[in-house]
């Protein structure tokens, strides 16, 4: 086999392997009947240098979970941006859509500097305490979009198709489709049909990355990806490089065919832009291109100006202070319930990279993404919404999949004692208070070993003037952990008569027991 074809096939095999690994780990981020995730499902986040740098800067702490990112830095120091061209699952998916999404216009003027601007804004903002990595990190965009929109949508469509055959198809079709559906449920479909708030937002953000392919191949990677920018800067010192470093005179092949647009107007190769796709081994008409180990020589400067960097730095400094003066973020009534194991709110916001892994693994679909309820700082962080689902008392999965430690990994005993919030009864809605109607549903479901919901027995005058003995619930605050099951199972339509508030938000003056 032709040596150049071997390199190309090797890259394709490598891309397929890591994409398959990514999809396998994504599917394993799910409840399987056990309170244990047997795989390192957050692996791609743990070797993400952008997430590691942003979290380290924001928290001023080295997070051991993110140390594998140093391996990617080491790999880049040797081979350049091989991670972008050979490993990144988002890059592989973009390559895979090349036959479907073709550029509709001539290549735009290179916009490579934008990714360095975005990287600077993210890192400077992180240094001042604002975590923006989740907005632009390629893994956060990809996983969050898949968790909140793509996976639930795929499950709904596939299930609807099989349901249509089952309920309306002929008998022979059902006999064929049911074993196929069982196989889908075992290996491809998620454990349950999840529902999330505003899935269209995450879907549009992810679809936008793919839509940019209309403007040029790997448009996101070449111009916008801050992780690519970080690896590009590191690759300036790499040893594995293309030769020759100059495009040939009277030949536009490198300019026109390079998917990363790695040549400047003076025909100089910018090593930091090359993702080692190896296409130039094939399209070079003179067949003179090769890749080999050589001392790092950079004839072209990084395509970003000092003015760009100063502007990005000032933006990165301004944004954290803009968030600090946002009254929305300071309004106590807008505080949300965080998942079990969450760090203190300020540290949690700095550490969470908005990946959506905890949302996916939540058994009861209780974790939902925050949108603008807490201002810019809280967007896409997880919150517990008890009316949609409660926190399973014996579940510790969300802490197991968090890649940055924003959610601590809890033992079952620690989970049972962790206080998410406190339940409070609304006497204007609770049936025994508001209409003298017997109801003990909340107490029946309370999971704590010593019931956190108990009753006062009172005698009231019922319909017709007869005496009626009622059990009126109240909460033992020290026993309540705020799992939210009481709010979930409250039989009232609309808002529940018992609400869970973040710990510290409860005023006994408002709802006296």
């Amino acid at each position: 086999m032709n040596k150049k074809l071997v390199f190309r096939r090797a890259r394709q095999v490598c891309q397929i392997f890591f994409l398959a690994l990514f999809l396998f780990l994504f599917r394993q981020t799910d409840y399987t009947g056990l309170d244990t995730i047997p795989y390192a499902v957050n692996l791609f986040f743990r070797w993400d240098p952008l997430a590691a740098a942003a979290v380290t800067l924001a928290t001023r702490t080295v997070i051991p979970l993110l140390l594998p990112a140093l391996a990617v830095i080491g790999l880049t120091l040797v081979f350049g941006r091989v991670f972008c061209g050979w490993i990144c699952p988002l890059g592989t998916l973009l390559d895979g859509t090349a036959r479907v999404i073709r550029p509709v216009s001539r290549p735009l003027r290179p916009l490579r500097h934008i990714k360095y601007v975005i990287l600077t804004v993210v890192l400077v903002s992180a240094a001042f305490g604002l975590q923006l990595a989740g907005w632009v990190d390629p893994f956060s965009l990809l996983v969050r979009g898949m968790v909140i929109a793509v996976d639930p949508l795929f499950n709904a469509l596939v299930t609807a198709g099989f349901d249509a055959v089952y309920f309306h198809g002929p008998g022979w079709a059902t006999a064929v489709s049911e074993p196929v559906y069982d196989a889908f449920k075992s290996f491809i479909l998620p454990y349950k049909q999840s529902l999330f708030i505003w899935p269209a937002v995450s879907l549009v953000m992810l679809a936008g990355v793919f839509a940019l392919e209309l403007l040029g191949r790997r448009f996101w990677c070449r111009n916008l990806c801050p992780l690519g920018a970080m690896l590009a800067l590191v690759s300036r010192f790499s040893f594995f490089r293309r030769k020759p470093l100059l495009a040939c005179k009277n030949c536009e092949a490198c300019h026109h065919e390079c998917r990363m647009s790695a040549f400047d107007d003076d025909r100089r190769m910018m090593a930091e832009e090359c993702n080692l796709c190896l296409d130039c081994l094939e399209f070079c008409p003179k067949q003179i291109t090769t890749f080999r180990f050589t001392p790092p020589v950079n004839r072209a400067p990084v395509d970003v100006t000092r003015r760009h960097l100063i502007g990005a730095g000032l933006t990165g400094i301004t944004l954290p202070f803009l968030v600090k003066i946002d009254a929305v973020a300071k309004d106590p009534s807008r505080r949300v319930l965080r998942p079990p194991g969450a760090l203190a709110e300020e540290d949690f916001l700095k550490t969470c990279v908005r990946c959506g892994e905890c949302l996916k693994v939540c058994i009861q679909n209780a974790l939902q993404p925050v949108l603008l309820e807490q201002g810019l700082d809280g967007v896409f962080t997880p919150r517990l919404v008890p009316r949609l689902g409660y926190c399973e008392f014996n579940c510790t999965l969300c802490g197991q999949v968090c890649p940055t430690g924003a959610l601590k990994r809890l033992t079952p005993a620690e989970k049972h004692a962790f206080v998410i919030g406190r339940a409070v009864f609304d006497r204007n809605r609770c049936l025994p208070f508001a209409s003298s109607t017997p109801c003990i549903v909340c107490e029946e479901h309370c999971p704590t070993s010593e019931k956190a919901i108990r009753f006062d027995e009172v005698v009231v005058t019922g319909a017709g003037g007869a005496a009626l003995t009622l059990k009126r619930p109240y909460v033992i605050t020290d026993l309540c952990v705020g799992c939210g099951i009481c709010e979930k199972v409250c039989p009232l339509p609309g808002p529940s008569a018992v609400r869970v508030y973040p710990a510290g938000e409860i005023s006994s003056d408002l709802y006296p027991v």
Side-chain angles (χ1 to χ4, degrees):
M1 185 182 293
N2 184 295
K3 186 177 178 181
K4 296 171 181 177
L5 186 59
V6 170
F7 285 137
R8 182 178 180 181
R9 289 286 181 263
R11 182 177 67 85
Q12 292 174 337
V13 168
C14 191
Q15 283 187 295
I16 292 172
F17 170 78
F18 281 104
L19 178 60
L21 177 63
F22 170 79
L23 294 175
F24 172 78
L25 295 177
F26 180 81
R27 181 52 64 227
Q28 294 304 314
T29 312
D30 210 343
Y31 177 62
T32 60
L34 301 173
D35 188 41
T36 303
I37 299 291
Y39 304 97
V41 295
N42 49 25
L43 179 64
F44 281 84
F45 286 100
R46 292 173 64 181
W47 64 25
D48 179 350
L50 176 63
V55 172
T56 301
L57 284 171
T59 62
R60 291 172 172 75
T61 304
V62 176
I63 309 292
L65 283 171
L66 298 174
L67 289 179
L70 293 176
V72 174
I73 296 296
L75 184 69
T76 307
L77 280 172
V78 177
F79 291 103
R81 287 177 65 181
V82 67
F83 186 88
C84 302
W86 292 55
I87 298 175
C88 178
L90 181 57
T92 301
L93 289 171
L94 291 174
D95 285 343
T97 60
R99 294 179 181 274
V100 180
I101 307 176
R102 297 177 182 275
V104 297
S105 63
R106 298 179 61 184
L108 300 176
R109 182 176 176 78
L111 302 171
R112 310 179 192 98
H113 64 280
I114 297 179
K115 63 177 179 288
Y116 299 109
V117 168
I118 295 175
L119 174 66
T120 304
V121 171
V122 169
L123 295 184
V124 173
S125 293
F128 283 86
L130 178 62
Q131 187 57 265
L132 296 176
W135 286 82
V136 289
D137 179 78
F139 297 134
S140 292
L141 282 171
L142 178 59
V143 174
R144 189 174 63 238
M146 292 178 64
V147 167
I148 296 177
V150 177
D151 200 37
L153 186 61
F154 175 70
N155 185 53
L157 290 172
V158 171
T159 302
F162 282 105
D163 284 349
V165 175
Y166 182 81
F167 288 111
H168 306 293
W172 63 265
T174 303
V176 173
S177 67
E178 283 305 287
V180 176
Y181 180 66
D182 289 341
F184 267 67
K185 285 296 293 181
S186 299
F187 301 107
I188 298 177
L189 297 179
Y191 160 73
K192 62 182 183 301
Q193 176 63 60
S194 297
L195 307 172
F196 292 104
I197 297 171
W198 288 100
V201 175
S202 294
L203 181 61
V204 167
M205 292 180 69
L206 179 58
V209 173
F210 287 88
L212 289 172
E213 291 294 288
L214 295 171
L215 303 178
R217 294 190 65 186
R218 289 266 192 158
F219 187 92
W220 163 264
C221 308
R222 283 189 287 124
N223 302 313
L224 301 177
C225 180
L227 174 57
M230 175 177 282
L231 296 180
L233 295 177
V234 176
S235 71
R236 297 272 294 177
F237 306 96
S238 65
F239 295 92
F240 191 68
R241 300 199 169 199
R242 188 199 109 127
K243 293 291 182 178
L245 296 176
L246 281 176
C248 300
K249 291 182 178 178
N250 304 319
C251 177
E252 297 294 326
C254 290
H255 263 300
H256 291 162
E257 300 296 334
C258 178
R259 69 178 71 188
M260 295 299 289
S261 187
F263 291 85
D264 68 7
D265 293 338
D266 296 324
R267 300 183 293 109
R268 297 175 298 185
M269 182 184 176
M270 295 175 285
E272 69 274 12
E273 302 297 335
C274 174
N275 71 351
L276 282 85
C277 68
L278 308 182
D279 286 352
C280 51
L281 293 178
E282 296 187 49
F283 64 63
C284 177
K286 298 181 180 178
Q287 298 291 293
I288 59 173
T289 55
T290 184
F291 284 80
R292 63 172 181 261
F293 289 99
T294 181
V297 176
N298 299 296
R299 295 188 176 182
V302 179
D303 190 8
V304 62
T305 65
R306 186 179 303 174
R307 182 177 299 177
H308 289 144
L309 294 178
I310 292 174
L314 292 175
T315 303
I317 294 173
T318 304
L319 285 177
F321 290 95
L322 193 63
V323 167
K324 287 181 180 178
I325 64 171
D326 185 354
V328 171
K330 305 301 179 187
D331 184 351
S333 66
R334 291 176 176 269
R335 283 194 59 189
V336 297
L337 293 166
R338 294 301 185 189
L343 302 176
E345 183 67 9
E346 185 176 350
D347 293 333
F348 178 80
L349 291 174
K350 293 177 180 178
T351 310
C352 175
V353 292
R354 286 72 166 165
C355 63
E357 296 265 14
C358 55
L359 276 61
K360 185 173 190 312
V361 83
C362 181
I363 296 177
Q364 298 295 339
N365 200 189
L367 296 183
Q368 298 287 328
V370 173
L371 293 180
L372 295 175
E373 297 93 323
Q374 286 198 309
L376 179 67
D377 206 8
V379 175
F380 296 129
T381 56
R383 64 177 297 193
L384 179 71
V385 182
R387 201 53 169 157
L388 294 177
Y390 59 91
C391 180
E392 182 68 43
F393 191 58
N394 294 311
C395 175
T396 64
L397 295 180
C398 55
Q400 295 180 39
V401 302
C402 180
T404 62
L407 302 178
K408 291 184 291 187
R409 186 167 184 153
L410 302 176
T411 65
E414 291 171 334
K415 167 65 187 304
H416 292 164
F418 191 91
V419 177
I420 302 171
R422 304 289 190 191
V424 176
F425 282 96
D426 182 349
R427 294 184 174 186
N428 293 319
R429 290 183 56 76
C430 182
L431 292 174
F433 290 101
S435 61
S436 297
T437 301
C439 179
I440 60 172
V441 173
C442 53
E443 189 271 346
E444 288 179 322
H445 287 80
C446 182
T448 53
S449 56
E450 290 186 74
K451 292 283 187 179
I453 296 178
R454 299 182 185 179
F455 297 111
D456 282 328
E457 287 195 355
V458 298
V459 178
V460 299
T461 303
L468 176 64
T469 301
L470 277 178
K471 290 184 175 181
R472 286 178 169 172
Y474 65 93
V475 177
I476 304 295
T477 304
D478 291 340
L479 297 179
C480 179
V481 295
C483 68
I485 193 170
C486 51
E487 184 173 337
K488 169 66 177 174
V489 300
C490 177
L492 285 181
S496 172
V498 55
R499 300 284 300 276
V500 178
Y501 292 87
E505 291 300 312
I506 302 171
S507 170
S508 58
D509 295 333
L510 293 175
Y511 299 108
V513 296

